[in-house]
């Protein structure tokens, strides 16, 4: 029995000249904009005595919404994103700081 897998592969490649060569570098993409420096604060005022952690400084509402979703899952807490800010229930400043740094953001406050 002869094994003609290489011949079959060569025939396939000859029949499909538009296939990529392989081992070629992917096209260079534009570098993404740097992530913003986020400010973390804690508020109690106007919330019936309950504390809330506020994260401000997002570049867009979409970025704030995506980050809020990830933080709520990671920290197992409630919250929301409004107008380029993220609000999380409770005083979670330390946990938020470490989670944001793990996500690549720089923080202050």
């Amino acid at each position: 029995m002869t094994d003609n897998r290489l011949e079959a592969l060569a025939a396939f490649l000859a029949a499909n000249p538009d296939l990529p060569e392989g081992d070629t570098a992917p096209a260079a993409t534009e570098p993404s904009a740097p992530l913003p420096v986020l400010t973390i604060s804690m508020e109690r005022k106007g919330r019936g005595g309950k504390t809330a952690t506020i994260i401000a400084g997002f570049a867009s509402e979409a970025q704030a919404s995506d980050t809020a979703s990830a933080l709520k899952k990671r920290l197992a807490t409630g919250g929301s994103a409004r107008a380029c800010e993220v609000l999380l229930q409770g005083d979670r400043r330390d946990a938020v700081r470490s989670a944001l740094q793990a996500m690549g953001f720089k923080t202050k406050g």
Side-chain angles (χ1 to χ4, degrees):
M1 278 181 130
T2 60
D3 188 18
N4 59 2
R5 288 184 285 176
L6 291 178
E7 292 173 5
L9 179 60
F12 175 78
L13 291 175
N16 297 299
D18 58 334
L19 290 176
E21 291 290 320
D23 292 333
T24 58
T29 59
E30 289 184 24
S32 62
L35 295 175
V37 177
L38 303 177
T39 304
I40 302 170
S41 61
M42 194 255 316
E43 286 185 0
R44 244 187 227 131
K45 191 173 186 176
R47 303 186 190 285
K50 298 185 185 230
T51 59
T53 302
I54 309 294
I55 307 157
F58 289 98
S60 66
E61 289 187 29
Q63 186 181 38
S65 177
D66 294 342
T67 305
S69 177
L71 286 172
K72 291 189 310 181
K73 288 178 185 176
R74 184 170 182 154
L75 302 176
T77 187
S80 63
R82 291 184 217 138
C84 298
E85 285 187 347
V86 173
L87 178 139
L88 296 175
Q89 295 174 352
D91 183 7
R92 307 293 305 262
R93 288 176 287 183
D94 294 331
V96 165
R97 184 175 294 110
S98 64
L100 286 173
Q101 288 172 350
M103 294 168 78
F105 289 99
K106 292 183 181 178
T107 60
K108 64 180 181 179

